[in-house]
């Protein structure tokens, strides 16, 4: 039995001889365009996926064609230097010069002279500091103790990449057939010179107030702010009044002092009168009581003076004893108020309860939280005064660099968004390492006499390890790391002599600190030597070919 649904079964017309299928009625292809679009999209995706493979196959095919037509060899040095077609002269294919002039194949044409080997002190081959006569200079350079001291400081100041004593690159000399060939190769030269170099530890930091120069001021007695004299940004001097507080405690102590003065005067007169009488007339006990009362009054006066002094209202006993009470009361009323402030006020309208908030130092008001009429307690800070003539600089130095720091080292700081360069000194080194950043805190001091530095200013800092005013320097792009040694290409001193070989000597060098596009040469080069700076790729390629084998 057919398992297809009846509506999918093909109709059959029965005849006498056989069952003949009935003619099939075509159904309109409504979905045909969609199917065609899907087919085209699939073909496009297949082509796109195959493009990277086709590119790789093309590159490999190109390499295969090149190798087949060039014997699977590197370009000859003569091709790199732009050698003209042969004119009957036999050429050295390995070194790109006429075979009869090739100093690499015929070392006797240009003997290397005495070799001095590895310099343990400076870490270079054929050290020109110890053997200045081997440098490519017309006259022997004058090398003194200062150069050896400078090299020693550079080597000891921080770890340097070491050259391999077994390296043989310093024995290589690269020869050109002519000066024109050198020019065609695009080689540029520079002069080894002397100049200043600064080696630093680079880090980040921020400028903050010196906490020892910050004063947070409050009133010494609770009360009500009567008047505010200064605002944020005002420059104040030591002793300037910032605000006046009406404090009942001040009035109480002044009254206590006045009362003690009156009592002392009374007790003193009583004791004096009794002392003038005959001892037989009065009892000794009464005289002793009078003297005791006088002493108690004197103590009360001193206690009141001490209490006022603790509030900053300084007064001594000589100012109040043996003086008319009216004068004493007038002086106590204005106690602590400077004459300059009183000149702008009517003393008769002042309260005897006033206590000034006084600046203890010269500085700038950076915070004010005082409003006239406000009730305050002694715990409430009213002003913050900062002496900004000197600021702190906080730096964070990597733990690995911290061992090279010491007190007194110079700091160079460049605030973010500013072209200024600030200098200071290290005054403190942290004793612990931050558990998150693994850095050591360093503090320095920076003068700010013009007041232009701002608290919490971030920037980039450098701690100077050493400064050399007469270092040997060379362009950075003239020194190359070849995997085992740093090298430079030095032009032969007889380069322009008639009939001389156009040779560049490979020199083992020890670089030191860098400054922009310049690098310090600890050892390996001397001032006055000519070295290749730009376009040295062709010389490096010749070195590489020599290491791999010609071709």
């Amino acid at each position: 039995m057919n398992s297809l649904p009846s509506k999918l079964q093909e109709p059959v017309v029965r005849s006498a001889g056989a069952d003949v299928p009935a003619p099939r009625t075509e159904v309109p292809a409504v979905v045909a365009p969609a199917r065609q679009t899907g087919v085209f999209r699939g073909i496009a995706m297949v082509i796109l996926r195959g493009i990277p493979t086709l590119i790789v196959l093309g590159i490999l095919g190109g390499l295969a064609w090149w190798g087949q037509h060039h014997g699977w060899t590197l370009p000859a040095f003569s091709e790199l230097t732009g050698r003209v077609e042969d004119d009957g002269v036999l050429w050295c294919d390995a070194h790109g010069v006429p075979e009869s002039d090739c100093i690499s194949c015929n070392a006797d044409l240009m003997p290397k002279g005495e070799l001095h080997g590895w310099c343990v002190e400076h870490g270079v081959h054929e050290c020109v500091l110890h053997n200045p006569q081997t440098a490519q200079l017309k006259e022997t350079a004058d090398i003194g103790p200062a150069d050896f001291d400078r090299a020693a400081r550079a080597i000891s100041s921080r770890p340097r990449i070491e050259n391999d004593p077994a390296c043989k690159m310093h024995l290589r000399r690269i020869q050109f057939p002519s000066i024109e060939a050198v020019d065609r190769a695009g080689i540029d030269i520079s002069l080894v010179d002397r100049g200043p170099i600064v080696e630093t530890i680079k880090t980040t930091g921020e400028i903050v107030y010196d906490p020892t120069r910050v004063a947070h001021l409050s009133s010494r007695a609770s009360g009500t702010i009567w008047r505010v004299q200064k605002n944020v940004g005002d420059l104040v001097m030591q002793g300037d009044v910032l605000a006046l507080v009406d404090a009942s405690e001040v009035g109480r102590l002044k009254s206590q002092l006045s009362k003690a003065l009156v009592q002392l005067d009374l007790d003193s007169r009583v004791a004096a009168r009794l002392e003038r009488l005959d001892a037989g007339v009065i009892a000794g006990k009464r005289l002793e009581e009078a003297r005791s009362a006088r002493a108690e009054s004197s103590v009360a006066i001193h206690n009141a003076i001490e209490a006022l002094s603790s509030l900053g209202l300084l007064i001594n006993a000589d100012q109040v004893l043996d003086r008319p009470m009216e004068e004493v009361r007038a002086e106590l009323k204005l106690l602590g108020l400077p004459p300059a402030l009183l000149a702008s006020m009517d003393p008769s309208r002042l309260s005897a309860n006033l206590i000034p908030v006084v600046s203890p130092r010269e500085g700038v008001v950076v915070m004010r939280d005082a409003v006239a009429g406000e009730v305050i307690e002694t715990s409430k800070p009213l002003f913050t005064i900062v002496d900004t003539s000197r600021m702190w600089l906080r730096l964070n130095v990597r733990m690995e660099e911290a061992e090279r720091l010491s007190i007194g080292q110079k700091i160079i700081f460049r605030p973010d968004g500013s072209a200024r360069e600030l200098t200071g000194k290290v005054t403190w080194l942290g004793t612990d390492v931050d558990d998150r950043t693994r850095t050591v805190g360093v503090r320095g001091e920076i003068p700010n006499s013009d007041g232009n530095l701002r608290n919490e200013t971030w920037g980039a800092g450098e701690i100077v390890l050493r400064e050399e005013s007469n270092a040997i320097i060379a362009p950075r792009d003239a020194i190359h790391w070849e995997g085992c040694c740093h090298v430079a290409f030095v032009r032969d001193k007889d380069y322009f002599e008639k009939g001389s070989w156009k040779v560049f000597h490979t020199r083992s060098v020890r670089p030191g600190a860098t400054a922009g596009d310049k690098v310090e040469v600890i050892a390996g080069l001397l001032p006055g030597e000519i070295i290749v700076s730009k376009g040295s790729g062709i010389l490096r390629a010749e070195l590489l070919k020599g290491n791999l084998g010609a071709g």
Side-chain angles (χ1 to χ4, degrees):
M1 184 177 180
N2 198 333
S3 60
L4 294 175
S6 58
K7 64 178 180 180
L8 297 179
Q9 294 182 8
E10 191 173 357
V12 178
V13 178
R14 298 187 183 274
S15 62
D19 294 340
V20 180
R24 185 171 181 178
T25 303
E26 295 292 334
V27 179
V30 179
V31 295
R35 291 180 180 174
Q36 293 175 359
T37 302
V39 171
F40 292 150
R41 184 178 299 167
I43 294 173
M45 292 300 295
V46 171
I47 294 174
L48 289 176
R49 292 193 186 100
I51 287 177
T53 304
L54 294 175
I55 293 174
V56 172
L57 290 176
I59 294 174
L60 293 176
L63 291 175
W65 181 87
W66 174 269
Q68 186 67 24
H69 288 76
H70 293 80
W72 297 99
T73 61
L74 292 171
F77 184 63
S78 58
E79 298 177 18
L80 295 174
T81 57
R83 191 191 75 187
V84 297
E85 294 296 327
D86 293 346
D87 52 4
V89 178
L90 295 177
W91 284 75
C92 176
D93 290 333
H95 302 109
V97 295
E99 199 170 89
S100 60
D101 295 338
C102 183
I103 64 172
S104 297
C105 297
N106 305 292
D108 293 338
L109 294 176
M110 188 178 183
K112 293 183 178 179
E114 181 184 1
L115 298 178
H116 301 276
W118 175 255
C119 176
V120 177
E121 180 180 353
H122 299 129
V124 295
H125 305 84
E126 306 302 322
C127 180
V128 292
L129 285 180
H130 285 104
N131 306 285
Q133 72 280 0
T134 63
Q136 296 302 316
L137 297 170
K138 291 293 186 180
E139 298 180 357
T140 302
D142 184 16
I143 301 299
D147 285 301
F148 286 90
D149 293 341
R150 174 193 55 79
R153 288 192 298 270
I155 293 173
S156 62
S157 64
R158 68 191 317 162
R160 309 288 180 190
I161 298 177
E162 297 183 359
N163 296 325
D164 185 357
C167 178
K168 302 298 182 182
M169 286 189 179
H170 65 285
L171 301 176
R172 298 287 305 281
R173 296 178 295 184
I174 300 176
Q175 184 181 5
F176 287 81
S178 63
I179 295 177
E180 291 75 14
V182 174
D183 294 337
R184 284 195 299 270
I187 290 175
D188 195 6
I189 58 174
S190 295
L191 178 70
V192 180
D193 202 357
R194 288 190 182 271
I197 200 77
V198 179
E199 185 166 21
T200 63
I201 295 176
K202 299 182 184 298
T203 181
T204 59
E206 66 170 330
I207 297 174
V208 296
Y209 293 135
D210 182 348
T212 63
R213 296 170 180 261
V214 178
H216 303 284
L217 305 178
S218 303
S219 175
R220 297 194 180 188
S222 301
T224 303
I225 297 179
W226 188 76
R227 184 172 179 176
V228 179
Q229 294 290 115
K230 301 294 182 180
N231 208 342
V232 173
D234 289 347
L235 179 65
V236 297
M237 305 300 292
Q238 183 178 359
D240 283 357
V241 175
L242 307 177
L244 294 173
V245 177
D246 190 328
S248 58
E249 176 68 11
V250 174
R252 187 186 66 82
L253 291 175
K254 290 179 179 180
S255 298
Q256 182 178 323
L257 177 58
S258 299
K259 181 179 178 181
L261 288 171
V262 172
Q263 186 64 43
L264 176 61
D265 180 65
L266 177 60
D267 292 340
S268 297
R269 285 183 299 183
V270 170
R273 187 174 66 254
L274 293 176
E275 287 172 350
R276 288 195 300 268
L277 296 177
D278 186 2
V281 176
I282 59 172
K285 181 178 179 181
R286 186 176 176 187
L287 179 59
E288 289 300 324
E289 289 177 350
R291 290 175 176 173
S292 178
R294 183 177 61 185
E296 289 179 1
S297 298
S298 179
V299 169
I301 291 173
H302 285 284
N303 289 342
I305 291 175
E306 290 294 331
L308 289 171
S309 299
S310 66
L311 297 180
L313 304 177
L314 302 179
I315 190 172
N316 55 57
D318 294 337
Q319 293 177 261
V320 295
L321 294 177
D322 301 325
R323 292 183 59 193
M325 278 304 301
E326 291 302 323
E327 294 182 8
V328 172
R329 287 194 179 96
E331 187 170 340
L332 286 178
K333 180 179 181 180
L334 305 178
L335 183 62
L337 304 182
L341 179 64
L342 294 174
S344 61
M345 298 180 179
D346 182 2
S348 63
R349 303 187 63 180
L350 295 180
S351 168
N353 299 345
L354 296 180
I355 177 174
V357 179
V358 180
S359 174
R361 67 183 316 133
E362 179 182 353
V364 177
V365 179
V366 298
M367 189 278 289
R368 166 193 160 176
D369 190 12
V371 179
E374 180 183 5
V375 177
I376 58 168
E377 299 292 335
T378 56
S379 59
K380 175 182 173 61
L382 301 178
F383 297 91
T384 298
I385 307 296
V386 180
D387 179 4
T388 60
S389 62
R390 186 170 295 275
M391 306 285 280
W392 273 10
L393 177 60
R394 292 176 178 169
L395 303 171
N396 299 307
V397 178
R398 290 187 300 115
M399 181 177 63
E400 297 80 9
E401 301 277 19
E403 63 181 10
R404 301 179 182 90
L405 301 178
S406 60
I407 302 297
Q409 287 177 326
K410 182 179 178 181
I411 299 176
I412 302 174
F413 187 76
R414 300 173 184 86
D416 290 342
S418 173
R420 298 181 64 189
E421 186 175 275
L422 311 173
T423 59
K425 289 186 177 181
V426 175
T427 58
W428 175 82
L429 299 175
T431 56
D432 58 351
V433 178
D434 189 279
D435 58 353
R436 294 176 300 171
T437 62
R438 308 310 296 166
T439 58
V440 176
V442 178
R443 186 177 71 230
E445 291 187 359
I446 296 181
N448 184 33
S449 56
D450 56 7
N452 288 331
L453 300 183
R454 300 291 181 263
N455 185 45
E456 298 184 358
T457 298
W458 289 86
E462 296 181 57
I463 301 175
V464 178
L465 298 180
R466 62 187 183 94
E467 291 184 276
E468 304 292 348
S469 60
N470 200 32
I472 300 174
I473 57 176
R476 289 184 64 179
D477 53 7
I479 309 298
H480 309 283
W481 173 251
E482 298 299 338
C484 60
C485 286
H486 283 101
V487 299
F489 301 105
V490 184
R491 193 177 71 184
D492 189 80
K493 60 184 177 181
D494 297 324
Y495 181 83
F496 287 109
E497 297 293 333
K498 185 177 181 179
S500 64
W501 316 114
K502 312 311 174 188
V503 173
F504 290 88
H505 302 264
T506 304
R507 184 77 61 78
S508 171
V509 299
R510 189 85 180 272
T514 59
D517 59 350
K518 300 293 184 181
V519 61
E520 175 191 24
V521 180
I522 299 175
L525 297 172
L526 292 185
E529 290 191 292
I530 305 298
I531 57 176
V532 177
S533 56
K534 296 181 180 179
S536 58
I538 187 171
L539 286 82
R540 299 183 67 189
E542 183 66 8
L543 281 182
L544 176 62
K545 188 174 73 173
N547 290 341
L548 296 177

